[in-house]
């Protein structure tokens, strides 16, 4: 929900700081979270380690008090640590492993002219949203009546990740002087700088932008032989080395800086593989997530750019975003705004002032850089072939059914996921669902652990005809809702445990045994990595699994249907995205049947 707001900084100052939860509470909740996912003997060992960790005057108390001191000194005790550990120091490619894709409904154009007109209106819509950011008139969002931190909106435009040799960084040019006034357009693997503002500071009209995009397409009709953008798909250490080689040359350095400074990147994609209608959304997800490999569109990207809009020749559209500066909801809010704007605005024909041609960004390709590009082509092709992604539209019902039964739609879907997984594997697994900490200044996320004792009791009883299941379903849904409420209020366990561990490392203390325990590794091995990203637009986000034998599951519950994107790795024999999607559909149908068979008074 949104309400009009005053100035951004005043609003931010009024937000509370992220609390450090009590140590004993986190230790107790950690044990409870482990119960459904580890064996009894392992659990007993962990309990003993935790007793030792918590004892009066022990290491746990010392770290807790250091963390509380850190919280007093910093705007947010967690955020800079989290960005560093979760993103900037993570060395796998950002593609698939970190950056989500977003699939929009297929648009009704099929040719270059339609692609250009659509892209021009899209640019105008983003600039319309940007005006609210620049003027600090963005409506504040609320959750349960409480205002949320709006900082992430100020981090997604004119920003970019920069590769390093051991750790990356993020640069935000939005506040630099002068502010960037251009976007980057990629077409046929070639990059162009397109100024989107007139000299007087007003944005170009969609009509003017169409003219400029046509010029770009005419200037890049042949595919460039060297897709420099494909370097951004590399393992971060390899890209860090290649980046230093690349920017040694002044022309290259200027071109890279122009991309980094640009407001966002627009990727005008070429052809896509031809697939059946039922596979078209899954095929679109592939394009948004990684571009399909070097023979398709993976080189038509700059994956370090925080925000890339992707517009295909055949009406396939969406986005890809680099995760370090923001979570999904601000990206989706921007996209909802753009979609609304495009529905309202018609490209008005105006007398076109003659505009300077967009500037092509040149790259000097040395034999060494060419070798890096070949390495990137090989690695992205392996990665693209290695990930399976399925978009499933569950069309039987949406948020309406759980709401009718006074159940949280998100909790209901998470319990269905637990049931689907249990039916496939006959055990429960460590499950991650992201919870927003935006109730706090500079808040990012914590973990909702969806595998609970109550969900385990429900899924184990579900296919046993002798068990009364409706009460168990209600309990499982309530347990999830309760954990969610604790998490968004800063009382979950995962970031607190991480904070204690990082505090020990920062003080050069020996790592407490509780963090070396096999149970801790199991708790962090998320075979189900999930996220609800709701939006007004009928879209769905997608991301890769976070462990080799796991799944990525993202969903957008609409009123009468639910959009799911399920991913797995092809080289893991245990996992199969298509099978999990089918099991999920069956679980959701069976859960509705259960509700329908139960007298209303029981609920």
């Amino acid at each position: 929900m949104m309400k009009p707001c005053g100035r951004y900084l005043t609003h931010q100052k009024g937000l509370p700081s992220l609390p450090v939860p009590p140590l004993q509470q986190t230790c107790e909740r950690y044990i409870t979270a482990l119960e459904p996912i580890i064996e009894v003997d392992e659990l007993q060992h962990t309990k003993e380690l935790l007793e030792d960790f918590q004892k009066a005057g022990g290491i746990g108390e010392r770290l807790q008090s250091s963390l509380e001191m850190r919280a007093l000194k910093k705007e947010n005790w967690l955020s800079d640590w989290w960005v560093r550990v979760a993103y900037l120091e993570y060395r796998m490619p950002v593609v698939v492993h970190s950056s989500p894709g977003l699939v929009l409904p297929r648009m009704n154009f099929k040719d270059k002219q339609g692609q250009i007109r659509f892209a021009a209106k899209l640019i105008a819509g983003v600039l319309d949203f940007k005006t609210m950011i620049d003027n600090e008139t963005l409506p504040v969002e609320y959750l349960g009546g409480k205002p949320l931190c709006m900082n992430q909106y100020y981090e997604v435009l004119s920003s970019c990740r920069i590769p390093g040799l051991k750790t990356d960084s993020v640069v935000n040019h939005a506040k630099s002087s002068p502010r960037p006034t251009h976007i980057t357009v990629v077409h046929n693997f070639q990059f162009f700088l397109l100024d989107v503002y007139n000299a007087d500071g007003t944005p170009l009209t969609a009509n003017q932008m169409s003219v400029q995009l046509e010029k770009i397409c005419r200037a890049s009709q042949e595919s460039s032989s060297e897709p420099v953008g494909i370097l951004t798909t590399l393992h971060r250490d390899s890209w860090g080395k290649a980046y230093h080689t690349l920017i040694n040359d002044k022309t290259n350095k200027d071109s890279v800086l122009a991309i980094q400074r640009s407001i966002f990147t627009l990727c005008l994609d070429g052809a896509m593989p031809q697939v059946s209608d039922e596979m078209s959304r899954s095929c679109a997800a592939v394009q948004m997530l990684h571009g399909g490999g070097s023979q398709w569109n993976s080189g038509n990207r700059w994956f370090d750019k925080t925000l890339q809009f992707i517009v295909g020749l055949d009406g396939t559209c969406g986005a890809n975003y680099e995760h370090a500066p923001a979570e999904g909801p601000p990206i989706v809010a921007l996209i909802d705004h753009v979609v609304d704007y495009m529905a309202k605005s018609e490209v008005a024909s105006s007398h076109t002032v003659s505009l300077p041609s967009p500037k092509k960004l040149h790259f000097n390709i040395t034999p060494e850089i060419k070798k890096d590009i070949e390495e990137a082509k090989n690695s992205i092709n392996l990665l693209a072939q290695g990930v399976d992604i399925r978009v499933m539209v569950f069309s039987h019902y949406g948020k309406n059914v759980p709401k009718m039964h006074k159940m949280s739609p998100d909790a209901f879907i998470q319990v269905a996921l637990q049931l689907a997984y249990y039916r496939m594997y006959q055990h429960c697994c460590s499950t991650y669902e992201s919870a927003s900490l935006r109730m706090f200044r500079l808040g990012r996320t914590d973990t909702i652990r969806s595998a609970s004792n109550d969900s385990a009791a429900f899924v184990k009883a579900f296919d046993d005809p002798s068990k009364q299941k409706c009460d168990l379903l209600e309990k499982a849904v309530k347990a999830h809702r309760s954990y969610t409420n604790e998490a968004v209020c800063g009382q979950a366990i995962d970031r607190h445990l991480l904070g204690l561990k990082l505090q020990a490392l920062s003080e050069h203390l020996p790592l407490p045994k509780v963090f070396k325990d096999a149970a801790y590794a199991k708790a962090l091995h998320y075979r189900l990595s999930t996220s609800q990203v709701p939006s007004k637009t009928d879209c769905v986000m997608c991301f890769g699994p976070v462990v080799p034998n796991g799944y990525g599951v993202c969903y957008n519950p609409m009123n009468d249907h639910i959009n799911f994107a399920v991913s797995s790795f092809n080289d893991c024999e245990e996992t199969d995205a298509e099978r999990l999607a089918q099991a999920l559909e069956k679980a959701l149908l069976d859960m509705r049947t259960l509700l329908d068979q139960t007298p209303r008074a029981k609920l």
Side-chain angles (χ1 to χ4, degrees):
M1 165 189 175
M2 289 194 172
K3 295 181 190 172
C5 77
R7 293 286 162 188
Y8 165 68
L9 284 173
T10 315
H11 161 72
Q12 290 293 112
K13 283 197 182 113
L15 293 168
S17 298
L18 180 69
V20 178
L23 182 62
Q24 187 184 344
Q25 172 185 292
T26 291
C27 293
E28 285 166 4
R29 288 181 179 176
Y30 176 45
I31 288 295
T32 308
L34 289 174
E35 283 169 354
I37 57 171
I38 69 168
E39 302 302 323
V40 179
D41 54 340
E42 282 184 292
L43 193 66
Q44 186 50 42
H45 176 63
T46 302
K47 281 180 182 169
E48 287 161 16
L49 292 180
L50 279 172
E51 274 168 31
D52 187 50
F53 181 65
Q54 280 182 92
K55 68 173 185 260
I59 184 70
E61 275 193 4
R62 174 178 170 176
L63 295 174
Q64 176 74 2
S65 115
S66 299
L67 208 50
E68 286 164 357
M69 286 300 295
R70 177 181 166 90
L72 290 174
K73 290 181 196 156
K74 295 187 82 68
E75 270 200 285
N76 185 308
W77 64 263
L78 171 65
S79 292
D80 53 355
W81 265 352
W82 176 247
V83 171
R84 199 188 81 207
V85 172
Y87 302 116
L88 303 180
E89 289 178 356
Y90 183 65
R91 305 320 284 158
M92 294 295 276
V94 290
V95 189
V96 175
H97 298 288
S98 174
S99 299
L102 182 135
V103 187
L104 284 168
R106 188 143 193 182
M107 300 301 160
N108 57 354
F109 59 80
K110 288 264 182 257
D111 59 8
K112 201 80 198 165
Q113 204 51 47
Q115 181 187 28
I116 285 171
R117 266 203 309 273
F118 178 87
K121 281 165 77 171
L122 185 149
I123 298 167
V126 180
L127 297 183
D128 188 63
F129 192 84
K130 182 177 181 292
T131 303
M132 291 193 289
I133 295 175
D134 292 345
N135 297 341
E136 297 187 5
T137 55
L138 201 59
V140 168
E141 292 168 358
Y142 284 75
L143 180 67
K146 297 205 167 131
L148 299 181
C149 174
M150 299 298 285
N151 172 259
Q152 290 179 34
Y153 286 100
Y154 294 82
E155 304 296 335
V156 294
L157 297 176
S158 309
S159 59
C160 195
R161 183 160 166 162
I162 298 176
L165 295 175
K166 288 211 175 103
T167 181
D168 292 358
S169 55
V170 172
V171 62
N172 184 347
H173 291 283
K175 296 273 187 256
S176 66
S177 190
R179 282 182 180 180
T181 55
H182 68 279
I183 67 168
T184 318
V185 181
V186 207
H187 180 248
N188 273 334
F189 312 146
Q190 293 158 71
F191 289 80
F192 292 82
L193 184 156
L194 170 57
D195 265 309
V196 288
Y197 290 94
N198 294 301
D200 65 358
T202 56
L204 299 190
T205 64
N207 213 43
Q208 289 173 310
M209 278 183 287
S210 277
V211 171
Q212 296 296 74
L213 291 175
E214 275 171 17
K215 289 179 191 170
I216 286 173
C217 291
R218 278 201 302 274
S220 53
Q221 285 174 353
E222 299 300 312
S223 283
S224 158
S225 53
E226 296 305 339
V228 181
I230 211 157
L231 292 169
T232 62
T233 66
L234 281 166
H235 183 281
R236 301 310 292 178
D237 289 344
S238 306
W239 174 214
K241 288 188 198 113
Y243 179 81
H244 284 285
T245 310
L246 184 71
I247 64 168
N248 253 338
D249 175 283
K250 187 179 182 319
T251 301
N252 296 350
K253 190 174 185 176
D254 291 347
S255 294
V256 168
L257 184 61
I259 296 169
Q260 290 168 348
R261 277 182 55 83
S262 64
I263 298 165
F264 63 92
T265 293
L266 169 69
C267 309
L268 294 175
D269 276 6
M272 311 267 174
Q274 292 298 302
V275 292
S276 65
D277 277 356
E278 69 172 311
M279 283 301 289
S280 68
R281 275 198 148 189
S282 297
C283 185
V286 161
Q287 295 302 318
M288 302 314 139
L289 190 62
H290 56 66
S294 63
Q295 73 278 32
W296 296 105
N297 295 297
S298 297
N300 213 48
R301 305 274 184 277
W302 193 268
F303 281 104
D304 288 2
K305 195 73 191 138
T306 306
L307 193 52
Q308 300 189 91
F309 284 97
I310 298 159
V311 181
L313 194 56
D314 62 353
T316 300
C317 295
N320 179 284
Y321 79 94
E322 200 288 300
H323 214 323
E327 268 67 59
I331 305 290
V332 162
L334 189 159
I335 283 169
D336 278 343
H337 180 91
V338 170
V339 170
D340 279 354
Y341 178 93
M342 291 171 76
K344 282 185 260 185
S345 88
E346 273 309 306
V347 179
S349 56
S350 55
H351 61 289
T352 305
V353 191
S354 178
L355 294 164
S357 285
K359 181 184 165 208
K360 183 166 181 178
L361 299 176
H362 293 282
F363 289 93
N364 293 323
I365 306 296
T366 62
E368 194 176 353
I369 294 164
K370 185 164 170 43
K371 196 163 139 277
D372 292 331
I373 288 172
E374 289 310 308
E375 182 197 331
K377 283 181 184 175
N378 292 334
S379 64
I380 187 60
N381 291 343
L382 286 171
L383 186 53
Q385 287 154 17
V387 70
D388 184 20
I389 182 136
R390 300 297 165 123
V391 173
M392 172 184 83
V393 180
F394 178 80
S395 55
H396 308 277
Y397 62 87
K399 287 187 289 196
N400 52 357
V401 165
K403 279 183 163 179
M404 195 166 69
H405 292 280
K406 300 194 167 38
M407 291 181 179
S408 146
D410 180 59
F412 190 84
I413 292 166
Q414 285 286 335
V415 171
L417 250 173
Q418 291 298 312
L419 177 57
Y421 187 91
Y422 185 80
R423 281 171 159 177
M424 282 175 74
Y425 298 102
Q426 303 306 302
H427 63 83
C428 301
C429 73
S430 186
T431 306
Y432 180 108
E433 181 189 0
S434 50
S436 172
L437 290 176
R438 284 176 59 208
M439 220 179 263
F440 305 99
R441 198 181 311 124
L442 303 183
R444 293 297 299 259
T445 61
D446 207 326
T447 308
I448 301 164
R449 289 190 164 269
S450 305
S452 65
N453 285 326
D454 288 308
S455 72
F458 169 69
V459 301
K460 287 171 183 173
F462 196 89
D463 293 312
D464 180 345
S466 68
K467 296 277 172 68
Q468 210 300 326
K469 295 175 275 277
C470 210
D471 291 347
L472 294 173
L473 170 59
E474 207 180 343
K475 268 189 177 164
V477 167
K478 277 187 177 152
H480 187 276
R481 186 80 217 128
S482 161
Y483 201 122
T484 302
N485 290 341
E486 284 163 3
V488 298
C489 293
Q491 299 299 315
I493 61 174
D494 280 273
R495 301 298 180 265
H496 185 202
L497 289 169
L498 175 70
L500 294 165
K501 179 184 171 182
L502 292 176
Q503 190 61 47
L505 293 172
S506 73
E507 292 184 34
H508 306 291
L509 295 169
L511 196 61
K513 285 180 184 164
V514 71
F515 299 117
K516 298 183 202 167
D517 183 22
Y520 188 59
K522 277 186 187 170
L524 296 178
H525 188 87
Y526 297 110
R527 292 193 60 180
L528 282 174
S529 172
T530 75
S531 185
Q532 174 187 236
V533 185
S535 74
K536 291 184 287 183
T537 309
D538 195 8
C539 62
V540 65
M541 272 199 174
C542 53
F543 46 77
V546 296
V547 295
N549 62 341
Y551 294 95
V553 183
C554 196
Y555 52 96
N556 176 10
M558 309 296 282
N559 195 48
D560 61 357
H561 67 281
I562 308 167
N563 297 329
F564 286 98
V566 181
S567 66
S568 62
F569 289 120
N570 287 322
D571 61 0
C572 175
E573 286 180 16
E574 299 162 57
T575 57
D576 182 334
E578 176 71 6
R579 262 187 75 212
L580 182 63
Q582 286 167 358
L584 187 51
E585 181 167 40
K586 185 172 186 321
L588 285 163
L589 288 170
D590 291 351
M591 281 164 62
R592 183 178 64 178
T593 303
L594 173 65
L595 291 175
D596 289 347
Q597 286 169 352
T598 308
R600 212 30 94 73
K602 280 291 294 170
L603 296 167

